[in-house]
Amino acid sequence: MKTVRSGRLNKHSKSIRKSSHSRQVSPSGCKSVPFREDHLGFSRFDICCGVPMKVNARLLTKDMEEMKELEHYENDLCVEALEPGMILLKNYISHSGQVKIIKRCRELGLGSGGFYQPRYRHGAKLHLKMMCLGRIWDPERLYEDRFHKIDGAEAPSIPDEFKHLVKGAIKTSHFFLKHSSKLSSAENILPRMSPDICIVNFYKRSGKLGLHQDSDESQESICKGLPVVSFSIGDSAEFLYGFDRHVNKAKKVLLESGDVIIFGGESRLIFHGVSRVLPNTAPRRLLEETNLLPGRLNLTFRQY
């Protein structure tokens, strides 16, 4: 029997209770999509308008260790079970955490193995820019290639601070499941995982992704139901999900900047996609401090 509940956590109390959630809406000042050449001469997509980030000096000098301390508890965190093994963490990543993720993705994205336009063998392009960390994924060759077809570069490593956030998101989900369902072990519903793959996508305002399954990982990973963990930063997006590929039957949830969605266990092979990105919905403060382009930055983590 499926139990779907929601609640709120904060750093002062571990009680779970009903919560509302709001997000500031603001237009972006970016007017163009810039590209820069990396050291090999390839044109790289810059997610931050091609100008230096206006990051608060205090944020630049802060030790990354604070991300290990589940700093999201400074916010009003709302947790909801959408399906068995599918958990939505609203407002999970703090503002400073989002700034650091954008900064790190920009640095990696402008280097070798950085952002590029993925396409299928027949020439059709995906409606997004992509970067692979840990392992290289390709829409045609999946994880077969060790090096990028474009520049021959190996995939950059997944930053440790990203891994710590993934670990914290799963830990928070386990606490919620144990508290709301009185389970002795939440891992039976949502297994733990150690990410060795991160696919970073940047969706422009016209970006979208059709319903699909994340099924290219190893058979062992799929059979164990090791979860996919997805971070959303920037503009909000309409996220579709369901247990078949019929769009008209799919459920919809709004993913906002700082939200994390996890699907594993019984929901590991759930169909999901992005129907549209909502313009001018990124938090104003985030845009002011990062110069992030209009659109949505999405990081999805898996264990191969």
Side-chain angles (χ1 to χ4, degrees), residues 27-296:
S28 170
C30 297
K31 297 181 180 179
S32 62
V33 179
F35 290 83
R36 287 172 52 185
E37 288 189 354
D38 66 10
H39 69 283
L40 295 176
F42 291 94
S43 182
R44 291 295 180 192
F45 179 74
D46 189 344
I47 63 174
C48 293
C49 295
V51 295
M53 293 179 62
K54 302 173 184 176
V55 182
N56 187 300
R58 182 179 59 85
L59 294 178
L60 288 176
T61 57
K62 267 191 173 182
D63 191 339
M64 289 304 293
E65 286 292 319
E66 71 175 30
M67 295 184 81
K68 300 179 186 179
E69 300 300 325
L70 302 182
E71 62 176 349
H72 52 272
Y73 280 137
E74 70 188 41
N75 301 320
D76 188 15
L77 173 65
C78 182
V79 185
E80 183 178 358
L82 302 177
E83 300 287 348
M86 188 174 190
I87 305 294
L88 174 61
L89 305 174
K90 297 290 295 181
N91 205 25
Y92 176 81
I93 306 173
S94 71
H95 168 77
S96 59
Q98 293 176 57
V99 170
K100 291 167 187 174
I101 289 172
I102 293 171
K103 178 178 181 293
R104 196 75 177 97
C105 285
R106 187 196 190 197
E107 293 172 348
L108 293 168
L110 290 174
S112 59
F115 283 109
Y116 71 102
Q117 179 88 53
R119 66 175 68 202
Y120 291 99
R121 188 177 292 118
H122 53 73
K125 296 180 180 180
L126 276 69
H127 298 282
L128 47 81
K129 304 296 182 183
M130 186 171 76
M131 172 173 61
C132 299
L133 306 178
R135 283 176 177 259
I136 294 172
W137 178 87
D138 180 88
E140 289 287 350
R141 299 176 181 175
L142 309 181
Y143 294 113
E144 294 178 6
D145 289 340
R146 181 182 176 189
F147 300 95
H148 276 285
K149 294 182 296 183
I150 297 177
D151 60 4
E154 290 189 77
S157 299
I158 303 174
D160 287 341
E161 58 267 27
F162 291 4
K163 293 181 180 180
H164 289 306
L165 276 177
V166 170
K167 180 180 178 180
I170 294 175
K171 180 179 179 181
T172 300
S173 299
H174 284 168
F175 174 80
F176 167 76
L177 290 170
K178 289 179 181 178
H179 188 101
S180 61
S181 304
K182 303 190 183 303
L183 299 170
S184 58
S185 176
E187 290 189 46
N188 294 331
I189 294 178
L190 183 67
R192 296 182 187 275
M193 73 95 166
S194 299
D196 53 14
I197 302 160
C198 175
I199 297 179
V200 185
N201 290 329
F202 186 83
Y203 299 79
K204 294 187 292 184
R205 287 178 172 174
S206 59
K208 58 184 178 179
L209 191 62
L211 286 175
H212 65 284
Q213 294 173 303
D214 288 349
S215 58
D216 299 330
E217 291 68 48
S218 68
Q219 193 63 34
E220 180 182 10
S221 180
I222 298 295
C223 289
K224 288 182 177 180
L226 302 187
V228 174
V229 179
S230 175
F231 296 174
S232 293
I233 295 176
D235 282 334
S236 303
E238 290 182 350
F239 183 81
L240 303 180
Y241 65 96
F243 288 98
D244 57 45
R245 197 175 250 126
H246 297 294
V247 175
N248 59 339
K249 295 181 181 178
K251 297 178 182 178
K252 182 189 302 183
V253 65
L254 184 67
L255 296 182
E256 300 171 286
S257 194
D259 290 351
V260 174
I261 193 166
I262 304 173
F263 47 98
E266 293 182 31
S267 296
R268 176 58 180 81
L269 291 178
I270 201 165
F271 288 91
H272 59 283
V274 174
S275 57
R276 68 182 181 125
V277 174
L278 282 63
N280 305 324
T281 51
R284 181 186 296 274
R285 182 183 170 200
L286 186 69
L287 299 180
E288 290 174 347
E289 294 191 14
T290 65
N291 298 309
L292 183 67
L293 286 172
R296 173 179 180 251

